[in-house]
Amino acid sequence: MINTYKLYVDFLNGVIEPDRPIKVVKNDSDSVLFKFVFKNAEAERKVIKFLFPDGSGSIQELKEDELLLDVSLLKANGNIRFELSLYNEEQRLTNFALGTMFIRSELLDEDTVINEDENLPILTALIAEVKTLRAEVDGGQADSKYLNGGGA
């Protein structure tokens, strides 16, 4: 499922505002789509630049006013700053707007081994043993109004 965000670009004030808070998880590639909405932004070329917390960056040309976030853009967690720049036919910068998003780290990565909890089978076995003993003591009749002996 692709999570789509509309980002409203205001070049007059130099800001990019999303339609709702952007929720992105590190390495969750090809699941987030940015659709940019421009007002009075005629340009030959639109370029988006990302600055990551470690100081590295990424630059891509924006095609059809959309950007599908791939693994290269979701490689780091933390606050990511981005800039959308407009260039004219002479390849000169004519305007820009800035935005930010937060990418959180994964709770568990794909390589994390999850061990089965050993307590559940033991508890189930103990409950069955108690029910068997009770049935033997009561001569097969439970002293409770509950059919399962009042247990969970």
Side-chain angles (χ1 to χ4, degrees):
M1 181 175 110
I2 294 181
N3 201 354
T4 303
Y5 294 91
K6 283 187 180 177
L7 290 110
Y8 298 93
V9 183
D10 178 358
F11 285 109
L12 182 63
N13 294 307
V15 295
I16 301 172
E17 293 289 333
D19 61 343
R20 59 190 166 39
I22 300 172
K23 296 181 179 181
V24 182
V25 178
K26 180 180 176 181
N27 297 322
D28 195 11
S29 63
D30 300 330
S31 67
V32 177
L33 178 67
F34 285 170
K35 288 189 173 191
F36 293 91
V37 179
F38 300 97
K39 185 176 181 180
N40 303 325
E42 296 299 321
E44 282 288 312
R45 186 171 171 227
K46 297 171 186 155
V47 175
I48 189 160
K49 304 167 190 170
F50 290 88
L51 179 61
F52 303 108
D54 66 359
S56 65
S58 173
I59 300 174
Q60 296 183 23
E61 188 164 353
L62 190 63
K63 301 288 185 184
E64 299 180 20
D65 299 341
E66 293 184 351
L67 179 65
L68 184 62
L69 301 185
D70 62 20
V71 73
S72 70
L73 300 175
L74 300 173
K75 65 183 181 179
N77 56 310
N79 284 316
I80 312 300
R81 295 175 40 203
F82 56 96
E83 174 184 291
L84 190 58
S85 302
L86 300 179
Y87 292 87
N88 63 16
E89 56 276 349
E90 288 92 36
Q91 300 304 314
R92 292 187 176 263
L93 177 66
T94 60
N95 218 332
F96 68 91
L98 301 172
T100 60
M101 69 176 163
F102 181 78
I103 298 178
R104 73 167 178 83
S105 60
E106 300 172 271
L107 292 178
L108 298 174
D109 62 24
E110 292 177 359
D111 298 328
T112 302
V113 176
I114 300 173
N115 295 323
E116 184 177 317
D117 187 351
E118 296 174 3
N119 295 323
L120 185 60
I122 292 170
L123 183 59
T124 303
L126 289 173
I127 290 170
E129 186 178 335
V130 168
K131 286 182 181 180
T132 302
L133 290 172
R134 179 178 243 179
E136 289 173 6
V137 170
D138 292 339
Q141 300 293 321
D143 62 354
S144 172
K145 64 181 180 178
Y146 300 103
L147 294 177
N148 66 356

